[in-house]
Amino acid sequence: MRYKLEKYKWWILCIITLAVFSILSILDYANPNECPENSRYILSAISQGLAAILALVFTITLVVAQMTRKYTAMDKIVFRDETISLMIVFGFGVVTPLLVLKFGWFCVGVSSSIAIAFFCVFSLIPFLKGVNDVLKYDIGIGNLGEEIMEAIEQGHEPKAKNKIRELKEIGESAVGEFRKDAVRNILYQLSGIGKKSARKGFGDATSLVVNELREIGIGSIQKHMFPEVDELPEVPEIAVMGLKNIGVEAAKNRPEELLGVVNKVIDGLRDIGTKAIEKGFVYFTTINAVRGLKDVFMAIKPKELKNIRNKEDIINNKKDREIVMFAEYNKRIAVNNIWCLGAFVTKYRPNLVDIVIENLNEIEKEIGRDLLMSLSKNCLSKNCINKYPNLKSALEAFKRRYKEG
C-alpha cells in the first residue's frame, strides 16, 4: 500500500478534499452577514479567476502535447481521465458563482464557491504532477531512446552522453516512485543503447549506461520491486541481462577502448547478484548474474591477439601487453565473482548450487581445474570474504561441493 500511495499520489487529493470540507465548515459556522455588493464582487472574482486559470492550464497542456512530437500525445495528456476530471471540476467552479448571482443564494453560495475555488486551485498540484509523469515516463523515455540511438549512429558521443544522463535522471525518478513499467522500459532502452555504443567503441557513453544499469538494478531491489504473480521478467533481471549483453559486446569489439567497460560490467553483475539473493530475487536475477559473468569471461578474447599463442611473443609490444594483462585481470575478476556468488547461493539457496557449478565447469574447460581452483584462494576472493565475512564457511562449503562434482 505504501508504494501505491507513492506511485499515484492520491493522498494529495485526499488532503485537499479534507481541507475543502474544513474551510466549508468554518465558513458555514462563521456565517458572516456580507452585504450583497461584497458577495457579488467575491463571486464574480472567483468565476473570472477560475476561468482564466482553466484557459491557462489548457493552453500549457496543448503546448506540452505539441512538444512531444507524437500523434498520440493528445490522448495521453489532454484526453486522459485526470484532465477531463479537472475540467469538469473547474467548470463547476466557474458556473457555481454565476448561479449564485442569478438566484441570490449569497449565504450558502458564497461559502460553497470559496470552497470549490480552493479545491480547484490546489487540485492543479496533482494534475501538473500527472502531466509531468506522462511527459517523462510515457513519452520522454521513448524520445530520449530514439535521440540517443541516432546520436550514436551519427558518431556524436558527447550528445549521446548528455541524453544518457537525462535518461538516468528519469530512471532514478522512476525507481523512487516505484514505477515498475517505466523502470522496465528504461532498462530495455539502456540495454540496447549500451550494445550499440559498445559496437561503436564509445567507452565513456557505454560506461554511463553500465553505471546506470547497475544503479537501477540495485535500486529496484532495495525498493522491493518483486514481480507480481506470473509476471516476468523481474526488474533486476532485466538489468542483469542488459549488463551481460553489453559486457559480451564490449569484450568482443575494440578491447583496447572497452576493457574498462568490461570491468565495470563484471562488478555490476556481482553487485546486483549478491544484493538480489539477500533480498529474495533469487533464480532469475542471481543465477543470470552467474551466467552473465561466465558469458563475459568467454567473450574476453582481444581480436588483435587471437592468433598469438604465447605471451612471450608480445613482450616487446607495450600496447598489446597491456591489453593482455587487462584482459586476464578481467577474466580473473569474473571467475572470482562467480565463486563469490556461489558462496551466496550456498548460504541462502543451496538447492541452486548445481547451476553455479555448471557454469564453473564450462570455464574449467577453458582454463583448467588447477587455475580455476587457485582463483578461489587469491586476493580477489579474499576481498569478497573481507566484504562479507559471514560467507567464509559458505565459500568453503561451495568449494567442497565443486570438488565433489
Side-chain angles (χ1 to χ4, degrees), residues 137-138 402:
Y137 303 124
D138 295 348
Y402 180 77

Side-chain angles (χ1 to χ4, degrees), residues 130-165:
V131 172
N132 182 61
D133 290 345
V134 171
L135 187 61
K136 283 197 305 184
Y137 303 124
D138 295 348
I139 298 173
I141 295 173
N143 285 353
L144 281 174
E146 294 174 4
E147 292 172 7
I148 294 169
M149 286 294 196
E150 183 179 351
I152 293 173
E153 187 67 30
Q154 295 174 353
H156 297 159
E157 186 177 11
K159 179 180 178 181
K161 288 163 59 178
N162 290 334
K163 296 298 181 181
I164 291 171
R165 291 189 182 98

Side-chain angles (χ1 to χ4, degrees), residues 310-344:
N310 301 316
K311 286 185 289 183
E312 290 76 7
D313 295 339
I314 60 170
I315 194 65
N316 294 322
N317 190 322
K318 182 179 179 181
K319 178 182 176 182
D320 287 347
R321 184 167 65 251
E322 290 176 350
I323 293 174
V324 168
M325 292 175 63
F326 204 174
E328 290 184 349
Y329 177 73
N330 281 340
K331 296 182 80 166
R332 287 175 179 271
I333 293 178
V335 174
N336 275 276
N337 285 341
I338 295 177
W339 281 110
C340 187
L341 288 174
F344 269 91

Side-chain angles (χ1 to χ4, degrees), residues 213-277:
L213 284 170
R214 175 188 175 277
E215 293 301 321
I216 292 181
I218 293 176
S220 64
I221 295 171
Q222 293 173 336
K223 279 287 186 177
H224 298 278
M225 286 189 178
F226 289 95
E228 299 172 2
V229 178
D230 296 328
E231 183 183 11
L232 295 175
E234 297 176 349
V235 174
E237 181 199 356
I238 302 173
V240 165
M241 298 306 295
L243 285 173
K244 187 263 290 187
N245 293 335
I246 294 172
V248 170
E249 192 69 37
K252 294 191 300 184
N253 293 279
R254 308 180 68 163
E256 71 280 6
E257 298 178 16
L258 296 175
L259 282 175
V261 172
V262 175
N263 183 263
K264 290 185 177 182
V265 167
I266 292 171
D267 289 343
L269 289 170
R270 177 203 61 204
D271 293 341
I272 296 177
T274 54
K275 182 66 70 174
I277 198 168

Side-chain angles (χ1 to χ4, degrees), residues 221 273-282 286 344 348 388 390:
I221 295 171
T274 54
K275 182 66 70 174
I277 198 168
E278 286 181 311
K279 298 296 184 179
F281 291 82
V282 181
T286 301
F344 269 91
Y348 292 99
Y388 308 101
N390 60 329

Side-chain angles (χ1 to χ4, degrees), residues 13 16-17 20 46 50-51 54 81-97 112-113 115-124 127:
L13 284 175
I16 295 172
T17 304
V20 168
I46 290 175
L50 291 181
L54 178 60
D81 294 339
E82 291 85 350
T83 304
I84 295 174
S85 299
L86 182 72
M87 290 181 177
I88 293 173
V89 172
F90 263 82
F92 277 106
V94 172
V95 173
T96 300
S112 300
S113 297
I116 294 173
F118 182 91
F119 181 85
C120 290
V121 171
F122 286 93
S123 64
L124 291 175
F127 169 75

Side-chain angles (χ1 to χ4, degrees), residues 74-116:
M74 293 290 289
D75 294 332
K76 293 181 178 179
I77 296 179
V78 178
F79 294 110
R80 62 196 185 101
D81 294 339
E82 291 85 350
T83 304
I84 295 174
S85 299
L86 182 72
M87 290 181 177
I88 293 173
V89 172
F90 263 82
F92 277 106
V94 172
V95 173
T96 300
L98 299 179
L99 294 176
V100 173
L101 286 171
K102 173 66 176 176
F103 296 102
W105 300 330
F106 295 119
C107 183
V108 177
V110 172
S111 298
S112 300
S113 297
I114 292 174
I116 294 173

